[in-house]
Amino acid sequence: MKMICAAVLGVLAGTAMASPDPATWLEEQDIRLTECGRGTVRALRVIRVGEAVLYRDDCRRHSSPMEAPLRLQFSYRRDVPGDAFGKAAEAMIERNVSAETFAALQERLQAFNARYRDIGDGDTYQLDYGPDGTLLLSLNGELLATEQGDDFAQSYLTVWFGDRPYNDRLKQDLLGH
């Protein structure tokens, strides 16, 4: 009964209590995505673990690769432990942003990265960055984490598009260069 009352109060107050659906979230905002680039995801620079695809509303319009809206989709062919994603992301962000920015975001990064799960062949992670500054993380269409703020999303995207990205070749392939 308490949950029903809370849901009704949320609707009456004009606040949505439902989580966004990663499959349609950007499209529901009238954002139509186009594939802009794709590349091979490698571990230790040589082991092919999957493929990444960058989608944008207009591949040529954006002056920054980290400008919203965008979708990054990663399809995997191998088993990868969930904590490996979080550890790698945190290390990559730390090397791409200032010490002050990293310190300010560290608690939020740890909470977001804790949501990664172990994956196997055929699994797909997706990051969606919306014009309102929201970053969604999903696995096989299931929402795992949401974080608000352009500061967070753009820092997170430095993993792939920063000055010192995870892989320079992947960055260039995703950007269509």
Side-chain angles (χ1 to χ4, degrees):
M1 183 67 175
K2 286 182 181 180
M3 289 178 61
I4 294 170
C5 291
V8 170
L9 288 175
V11 170
L12 292 175
T15 59
M17 296 200 59
S19 297
D21 179 358
T24 59
W25 180 66
L26 290 173
E27 290 79 1
E28 288 171 357
Q29 299 175 62
D30 271 343
I31 298 169
R32 303 294 175 247
L33 298 172
T34 302
E35 182 180 320
C36 297
R38 67 176 50 231
T40 301
V41 177
R42 298 183 188 279
L44 306 172
R45 298 194 191 266
V46 293
I47 302 168
R48 188 175 181 177
V49 296
E51 184 173 64
V53 183
L54 171 65
Y55 297 92
R56 312 251 2 194
D57 60 333
D58 183 339
C59 298
R60 289 173 286 209
R61 183 186 63 144
H62 299 282
S63 59
S64 166
M66 295 179 282
E67 184 180 337
L70 66 80
R71 172 174 290 154
L72 270 173
Q73 207 166 57
F74 302 89
S75 299
Y76 292 92
R77 296 188 181 117
R78 296 183 182 261
D79 294 349
V80 181
D83 65 341
F85 292 105
K87 288 176 185 175
E90 194 166 324
M92 298 306 304
I93 294 165
E94 185 173 19
R95 84 179 198 181
N96 276 289
V97 301
S98 70
E100 296 80 22
T101 298
F102 185 76
L105 295 175
Q106 193 165 18
E107 188 174 310
R108 292 164 63 196
L109 287 169
Q110 288 172 347
F112 191 84
N113 289 335
R115 305 299 297 195
Y116 280 104
R117 296 183 186 162
D118 296 348
I119 57 109
D121 185 18
D123 285 330
T124 299
Y125 268 119
Q126 183 171 298
L127 280 171
D128 287 309
Y129 178 29
D132 66 350
T134 301
L135 186 69
L136 304 181
L137 171 67
S138 60
L139 175 61
N140 300 326
E142 178 187 345
L143 183 65
L144 300 179
T146 303
E147 183 60 50
Q148 185 64 40
D150 289 315
D151 61 335
F152 183 90
Q154 290 182 6
S155 293
Y156 211 88
L157 291 170
T158 65
V159 171
W160 302 278
F161 302 118
D163 291 335
R164 298 176 63 202
Y166 173 75
N167 183 292
D168 288 314
R169 172 130 188 202
L170 177 60
K171 175 182 174 178
Q172 295 307 313
D173 289 345
L174 288 172
L175 296 175
H177 297 141

